[in-house]
Amino acid sequence: MGTVSFLIKAHLYAILACVLYLLACLSMSHPVLQRQYLFLHNVRFPMFAKYNEPHLHGSLVGQTRNLYIASTDNVTLGAWHYLPKAFYDAHENELQNAQADALDVLFDEALRTYPTYVYLHGNGLNRAASFRVRTCTDISQELNANVLAIDYRGYGDSTGYPTEKGVVDDAYNAIQYVRQKSRLAESDSRPGIAIVGQSLGTGIGAQTALRMYLEGQHLDALILLAAFKELRPMVTEFSLGGVFPVLRPLEWLPIKDYLLDTFLQYRFHSLEALAEIMSGTNDPNSLSPPVTIIMHALDDAVINVSHSETIFARVLNITGATSMMSGYHIWSSSLPDFGYVRSIMSKTARPPEHRSIDPNARFVLPRSALFTFVELEKGGHDHLLRGNVDALRLMMPTYMLGDDVK
């Protein structure tokens, strides 16, 4: 009798757990809870970040300044501006001892002189997270460029709360800030600007790049780290912390498609945004698309590499690079201890540089290709550029490297 009672209780607990889980899933249809789950903006780590003292979080003293940028909806964005290595080395004493006004003059001079990479982070945490500081520092030092890292609305010390339109507005306004500050009035020109998006930031970056493209604003490069094709399939694929697939059981529900179509508030159609940008390659009168690089690791436990493969396949189809009649062709190479690289290149472009041009290079890669997909052997979800910024040096247009700035 005791065994039967135990089995009944076990079944009841199992049923209760299923009911509670189903109720928890249904609660995700509420806009506020859905926003919390997607953006994780209230996961504030590092806690008590010293935004006015960036060097306490891993950058060099004087290398990074804290600033605030106005966005839409009366939102103010917190941001860090990392200086290029060469500029920092040349002005180290001034940067470590100057007053605030003098510092602003120096940092603005760097924006007018060196290229800038706008870094768009993934969900959760803030710009002071150690791996994000490491990424920004590596780019600023190894590419010798400015890096502007923003916290979207609701993250860090930024005001407001995130929405799909709102975070794209934030990224767009960060770009406009750089465009304004970097413009040289006498020549009406400016150094190059690139977007670097990671995880959720790839969706924000793709939408921002499309907005600029439609408005006729040239973007020099778009770098997407661990991209996803759109948010919808990520609902059931996403694993919290790369371990717990919170909503995977939804796949078993016959009404899954109805639930997603009805209640999913956010879309982030990265695939369609990139396809629209790349479709301009078939129109000689359209704005030149940015040099686009996608990097995705095979061991990414959060976003499967198949998302980036789908994006590359779509761009391949748009450009017709596999056709003899196309103006593009595919360059590919499998590189030991790095990964498999496929680039869509103009047939009139120079072939990849020889190692002798850069004697310290580990390998050769095509520079300024239209679209490159780097399938890394390892890197997980958050560390794709660790030890791999040198690969970006080989793929980026030379003017996006600050090496030749006088």
Side-chain angles (χ1 to χ4, degrees):
M1 188 69 180
T3 302
V4 174
S5 177
F6 172 78
L7 290 175
I8 292 174
K9 288 181 179 179
H11 279 83
L12 288 174
Y13 284 134
I15 293 171
L16 179 61
C18 291
V19 170
L20 291 174
Y21 175 78
L22 183 59
L23 289 173
C25 290
L26 290 174
S27 72
M28 293 297 179
S29 64
H30 191 282
V32 173
L33 293 177
Q34 195 174 127
R35 182 171 66 237
Q36 295 289 339
Y37 176 69
L38 169 62
F39 293 104
L40 297 177
H41 54 290
N42 285 321
V43 180
R44 300 182 182 277
F45 188 83
M47 297 177 66
F48 313 112
K50 304 291 186 181
Y51 296 109
N52 284 317
E53 300 177 273
H55 63 277
L56 297 179
H57 297 281
S59 63
L60 299 173
V61 176
Q63 181 202 13
T64 308
R65 69 165 165 170
N66 186 55
L67 69 151
Y68 295 94
I69 299 171
S71 187
T72 56
D73 307 315
N74 294 317
V75 163
T76 300
L77 308 175
W80 282 350
H81 173 190
Y82 297 75
L83 287 172
K85 182 181 187 302
F87 189 90
Y88 176 78
D89 290 345
H91 299 275
E92 183 174 357
N93 289 333
E94 297 171 78
L95 290 164
Q96 293 182 2
N97 298 293
Q99 298 299 314
D101 290 345
L103 283 176
D104 287 342
V105 170
L106 286 169
F107 275 84
D108 288 349
E109 180 185 342
L111 288 173
R112 292 191 300 270
T113 312
Y114 289 83
T116 298
Y117 292 72
V118 177
Y119 178 73
L120 307 175
H121 63 62
N123 65 350
L125 314 185
N126 53 52
R127 64 188 184 277
S130 60
F131 68 93
R132 291 173 181 162
V133 173
R134 168 74 177 270
T135 296
C136 294
T137 301
D138 285 350
I139 293 173
S140 68
Q141 293 186 353
E142 297 193 38
L143 301 188
N144 208 14
N146 298 287
V147 178
L148 182 68
I150 67 168
D151 271 324
Y152 318 112
R153 59 189 64 200
Y155 288 82
D157 57 345
S158 299
T159 62
Y161 60 87
T163 64
E164 182 168 355
K165 180 181 181 301
V167 294
V168 173
D169 282 348
D170 296 342
Y172 178 83
N173 281 287
I175 293 283
Q176 299 313 304
Y177 171 86
V178 174
R179 284 172 58 86
Q180 176 191 354
K181 291 289 186 178
S182 63
R183 179 176 174 272
L184 298 171
E186 60 273 15
S187 61
D188 195 26
S189 63
R190 59 176 59 87
I193 300 175
I195 290 175
V196 182
Q198 194 271 330
S199 191
L200 177 64
T202 66
I204 298 169
Q207 294 294 332
T208 305
L210 175 60
R211 179 171 173 181
M212 294 179 66
Y213 180 78
L214 295 175
E215 293 182 1
Q217 296 183 26
H218 179 66
L219 178 67
D220 295 277
L222 177 63
I223 302 165
L224 304 178
L225 309 174
F228 58 93
K229 57 188 178 183
E230 63 174 305
L231 190 62
R232 194 177 190 276
M234 287 296 301
V235 172
T236 54
E237 292 177 13
F238 178 74
S239 295
L240 192 62
V243 177
F244 181 53
V246 182
L247 297 177
R248 184 72 52 81
L250 282 179
E251 288 284 0
W252 308 330
L253 295 178
I255 59 170
K256 179 197 76 172
D257 290 336
Y258 167 77
L259 292 175
L260 293 178
D261 291 338
T262 304
F263 297 110
L264 185 62
Q265 304 285 319
Y266 305 94
R267 303 296 171 176
F268 288 107
H269 287 299
S270 300
L271 177 61
E272 297 306 319
L274 293 171
E276 187 168 353
I277 294 171
M278 291 299 159
S279 64
T281 58
N282 299 318
D283 181 1
N285 297 317
S286 68
L287 186 70
S288 298
V291 169
T292 302
I293 299 169
I294 290 184
M295 302 180 77
H296 210 136
L298 291 171
D299 62 349
D300 190 329
V302 180
I303 301 176
N304 192 277
V305 71
S306 62
H307 282 260
S308 291
E309 291 171 348
T310 299
I311 293 172
F312 181 77
R314 180 70 174 274
V315 177
L316 196 62
N317 181 61
I318 290 170
T319 58
T322 57
S323 169
M324 293 291 292
M325 303 300 293
S326 173
Y328 297 91
H329 69 108
I330 303 173
W331 181 94
S332 64
S333 181
S334 183
L335 305 169
D337 300 320
F338 181 66
Y340 182 41
V341 182
R342 285 166 281 177
S343 291
I344 300 173
M345 301 177 58
S346 169
K347 288 181 178 177
T348 60
R350 292 180 57 187
E353 296 176 354
H354 294 289
R355 191 183 303 273
S356 58
I357 294 178
D358 187 351
N360 297 318
R362 290 183 287 166
F363 33 64
V364 294
L365 290 170
R367 189 179 296 282
S368 302
L370 173 69
F371 197 99
T372 299
F373 173 32
V374 181
E375 189 177 76
L376 293 168
E377 292 179 358
K378 57 185 178 180
H381 185 66
D382 296 319
H383 307 289
L384 298 172
L385 288 184
R386 180 171 293 178
N388 291 322
V389 181
D390 62 329
L392 281 184
R393 284 188 60 87
L394 297 174
M395 294 185 286
M396 295 297 292
T398 53
Y399 68 85
M400 289 303 297
L401 311 175
D403 303 341
D404 297 330
V405 173
K406 303 300 182 184

